[in-house]
Amino acid sequence: MNYWLMKSEPSEFSIDDLAQRPNQREPWDGVRNYQARNMMRDEMCIGDQVFFYHSNCEIPGIVGIAEVASEAYPDATAFDAEDKHYDPKSDPDNPRWFLVEVRFVRKLSRTLSLKELKEHVGLKDLALVRKGNRLSVMPVGKAEWQAICSME
DNA sequence: GCCAACGTTGGC
DNA sequence: GCCAACGTTGGC
């Protein structure tokens, strides 16, 4: 069992959007960063637990829990010239970008804000709170996962 | 292989 | 809207 944190801008796709999807499930498309891709493609397993993080909003922070619901497969939005995340260099015969599907587990009773996460002494090594980090998908250690859960 | 220019992310 | 940090691109 692995633990992850995945960012989304709530104006684009929020935890409530995920909860309202059919089967409460959604392909996590549009990731165009190699490190994030590698984690989804090579390391994520069905059942892995995911913190759902809202970025670029009034109170950035963790708002819910999801889980990995599929193996990785090619991100078809990269092949679609009309799509915002179109990448002409991704060839259907040799896809460059991959995604996993994510399923809603639950919303937290409150937002665990980035500010609080930064102040927690047990989370100094969490990639999220390290300076300049921009990864949209990142690993979370088991101890970090538990520390964050206990903040709720 | 270096590195300047440029684009994006995301907190504030 | 600003801007720091970082990734990518492409000329050389």
Side-chain angles (χ1 to χ4, degrees):
Chain A
M1 166 80 77
N2 301 309
Y3 301 94
W4 306 97
L5 181 146
M6 296 168 91
K7 293 181 186 173
S8 184
E9 301 189 17
S11 59
E12 298 290 321
F13 188 77
S14 72
I15 186 76
D16 293 319
D17 293 328
L18 179 62
Q20 286 160 24
R21 282 293 190 270
N23 300 319
Q24 300 188 311
R25 189 178 163 132
E26 180 77 358
W28 203 264
D29 59 23
V31 172
R32 298 292 180 266
N33 171 280
Y34 290 104
Q35 269 182 273
R37 176 204 69 182
N38 292 347
M39 288 187 273
M40 289 199 292
R41 188 187 59 184
D42 305 333
E43 294 178 48
M44 282 193 182
C45 300
I46 291 174
D48 283 358
Q49 299 295 108
V50 178
F51 282 132
F52 197 113
Y53 179 90
H54 281 176
S55 65
N56 243 313
C57 55
E58 194 171 354
I59 305 174
I62 294 169
V63 294
I65 294 175
E67 66 182 15
V68 176
S70 79
E71 300 290 330
Y73 59 88
D75 181 348
T77 64
F79 310 141
D80 177 1
E82 302 298 309
D83 194 278
K84 177 168 136 187
H85 302 291
Y86 174 56
D87 181 358
K89 294 185 212 131
S90 186
D91 181 337
D93 293 327
N94 184 23
R96 174 176 296 202
W97 304 114
F98 288 75
L99 56 75
V100 296
E101 293 183 13
V102 160
R103 182 189 300 117
F104 177 80
V105 173
R106 69 182 180 92
K107 266 181 90 163
L108 300 188
S109 56
R110 65 187 192 89
T111 298
L112 305 179
S113 69
L114 177 62
K115 181 169 182 291
E116 277 179 88
L117 295 167
K118 281 180 170 168
E119 285 165 358
H120 193 298
V121 288
L123 299 177
K124 296 295 179 206
D125 292 327
L126 185 67
L128 182 76
V129 306
R130 307 201 64 129
K131 191 177 159 192
N133 178 71
R134 288 171 21 190
L135 272 179
S136 62
V137 175
M138 67 184 76
V140 176
K142 182 168 189 180
E144 292 167 338
W145 178 275
Q146 288 167 347
I148 292 167
C149 286
S150 70
M151 293 168 67
E152 186 180 357

